[in-house]
Amino acid sequence: VIAEELGLNNTLQHLNLSNISLDAEAVELLGASLARNRGLISLDMYGCRIGDVGARVIGASLTQNTYLRRLDLGSNKIGSSGCSFLADGLMVNTVLHVLRLWGNTLGLACDRLLSALYTNDTLIQIDLTGCSTDVDTVAMIGALVKKNRLAENGRSSGSSEIRKLRKALAKEQLKTDLLTKKAKSYKKKHAKLLVDSKKNTFGGAQETGYDSALSMDSDGGRPKGGGGGGGDGGLQHQDSIFSTLSDESEDKAWWDIGSLGKGLPISTAGLPASFDFFRSNATSADSF
């Protein structure tokens, strides 16, 4: 029942079947389910007495399983042939990190494990305690496993650095986005202020120009800005078209056409004496 459920359940991550005696049929079902399982990462089967037949089934499932990380087959009466089947599985498997074979009589089959580890670069821990194996072979297996472990640590460290770099880049991107948003907001506000400023400037200029046209100089009666005699000021000062005579000469007179904003000297030398009367009685442009 457990074996059948294992083939269907992809959420279970840890399964402990330790010290449960499993016959050949049960192991076959378990191996078939393990081969297609997509969730289990740790399986404890020590003391299940699966023997070489069971080791062959488990070895075959390792060639297809891509999720299992830890497998404990300690004290399962596995011999040289069963160890060779497991070694064949390790040559293909690329995900298993921990394999425990303690308490099995592996003998010379450890040489097959050694050959598998020249190919396998993911197994980082193996337990061969009490397996009656050659000491030198075990030392060489240990060296290969250590090499894999160092390589894995390097990959993990590299992945960690990549994650840190990505996090830093994401943080900088967030800062850039915030600055860009602020810049756009500032630009929009600045443009609005500029438009309002132009409106106020042009409106004030028009109003100032209009007021200047209506205002008059206090001394000459001319409109400010040098304009013609427009507005009420021009009408008010049309009566003073003539200025007083100059004291330089009795036979010369200087007219000041103040309402036109210009001073035009006109000589009266040689004019008849009757002009003096006309000049003294002329009080407006209409009488002239």
Side-chain angles (χ1 to χ4, degrees), residues 64-77:
Q64 301 178 55
N65 184 281
T66 58
Y67 281 81
L68 191 65
R69 300 293 188 269
R70 179 181 177 277
L71 176 61
D72 190 343
L73 295 175
S75 188
N76 264 292
K77 297 185 177 181

Side-chain angles (χ1 to χ4, degrees), residues 114 117 137-150:
L114 180 60
L117 288 173
T137 303
V138 173
M140 295 177 68
I141 291 174
L144 292 175
V145 170
K146 183 178 181 180
K147 174 184 68 68
N148 290 347
R149 185 163 57 249
L150 293 175

